[in-house]
Amino acid sequence: MKIDKALEAIEALGDNHVATSATTPLREDAFKLSDKEKIALIKEDVKHIMETLGLDLTDDSLKGTPQRVAKMFVNEIFSGLHPQRKPDASTFKNHYKYGEMLVEKNITVYSTCEHHLLPIVGRAHVAYISNGTVVGLSKMNRIVDYYAKRPQVQERMTMQIVQDLQVVLGTEDVACVIDAKHLCVNSRGIRDIESSTVTSEFGGKFKEESVRREFLDYIKLDTTF
């Protein structure tokens, strides 16, 4: 009976992307196993899925797939789950007294929808106003990539990026906008290949209409070389 009710709740959720928390849901023993042990277990699980689907794993094209998928999950697309992989964000004193907002736009986002384990592909635009501390430009990209490399909900990812940079920079004046395509919408279900999802998180001064508008205007600039 409990199983039936749980399945009914899952079915009721359907294609709705509902985040239960601003933090990624992890078990307390999430990092008890080593990466090597996780790869070995996931390999067997992928093998079982493929065999259940009726695929012939003795075929030269398929026999290495379980190992490849397991390594990809642990070492690549879900590597951002492990806190030890969080990038060090070196900060520096703002000696040149730059007081305007700094915008890093068009940061590539490759993530994975946690509801269907299908890709989320898009761009992130991140900005902050220094209160005396600055961070290396590449670190902004790395922070985005870190939170993208895990099963995600786009709303949560947007919030996590802002919250992390607020801690690193010691200021609330951080903003992020993400525009991305979800293949769980584009390639299955409604199969709408044109739509994209836009999320935003504005902290501190970015809650002011004029500052927020300035940031959004910067995003619209056409950068070509």
Side-chain angles (χ1 to χ4, degrees):
M1 183 65 70
K2 288 184 178 180
I3 294 176
D4 290 339
K5 287 184 177 180
L7 290 174
E8 287 177 6
I10 292 172
E11 288 298 323
L13 179 64
D15 289 340
N16 295 313
H17 287 196
V18 178
T20 57
S21 171
T23 58
T24 302
L26 288 169
R27 299 199 322 267
E28 291 184 3
D29 63 347
F31 310 112
K32 181 178 180 179
L33 298 175
S34 68
D35 285 354
K36 185 176 181 180
E37 290 171 323
K38 288 181 179 181
I39 289 171
L41 289 171
I42 293 171
K43 174 184 175 181
E44 292 304 310
D45 292 334
V46 174
K47 179 181 177 182
H48 177 65
I49 290 171
M50 296 178 70
E51 288 175 339
T52 301
L53 290 171
L55 294 168
D56 180 7
L57 293 188
T58 65
D59 185 89
D60 286 343
S61 181
L62 295 176
K63 63 184 179 182
T65 298
Q67 175 73 8
R68 285 191 292 267
V69 172
K71 289 177 66 177
M72 176 185 68
F73 276 13
V74 175
N75 296 333
E76 297 179 66
I77 65 174
F78 298 144
S79 62
L81 287 171
H82 205 301
Q84 289 184 354
R85 294 192 178 97
K86 185 175 181 179
D88 293 327
S90 301
T91 56
F92 311 92
K93 291 292 183 182
N94 185 8
H95 293 298
Y96 29 87
K97 308 298 181 184
Y98 180 73
E100 302 298 321
M101 73 175 68
L102 184 147
V103 181
E104 185 81 357
K105 64 190 185 77
N106 294 326
I107 300 172
T108 301
V109 172
Y110 283 112
S111 191
T112 305
C113 165
E114 68 181 38
H115 297 114
H116 294 94
L117 297 185
L118 286 172
I120 299 171
V121 182
R123 302 283 184 181
H125 314 282
V126 182
Y128 72 90
I129 300 172
S130 173
N131 68 347
T133 301
V134 295
V135 67
L137 293 179
S138 67
K139 294 301 186 291
M140 298 170 72
N141 299 61
R142 294 182 190 281
I143 288 173
V144 170
D145 190 55
Y146 172 69
Y147 286 106
K149 285 184 174 176
R150 57 181 68 183
Q152 269 292 16
V153 174
Q154 187 173 321
E155 297 94 323
R156 179 198 296 136
M157 176 166 52
T158 310
M159 295 171 64
Q160 288 175 331
I161 291 165
V162 169
Q163 291 168 1
D164 197 324
L165 281 169
Q166 286 174 330
V167 172
V168 168
L169 291 162
T171 178
E172 292 294 309
D173 303 334
V174 180
C176 178
V177 171
I178 297 178
D179 184 4
K181 284 184 173 290
H182 293 239
L183 265 70
C184 58
V185 174
N186 302 149
S187 69
R188 57 158 301 282
I190 192 64
R191 289 181 293 178
D192 182 351
I193 64 172
E194 297 297 331
S195 65
S196 67
T197 302
V198 179
T199 51
S200 63
E201 179 75 3
F202 301 108
K205 293 180 181 178
F206 286 93
K207 292 184 180 294
E208 300 173 14
E209 184 177 352
S210 60
V211 179
R212 183 168 64 249
R213 174 51 52 194
E214 181 183 351
F215 169 48
L216 296 176
D217 286 343
Y218 281 136
I219 292 175
K220 296 176 184 176
L221 292 175
D222 184 19
T223 305
T224 56
F225 296 96

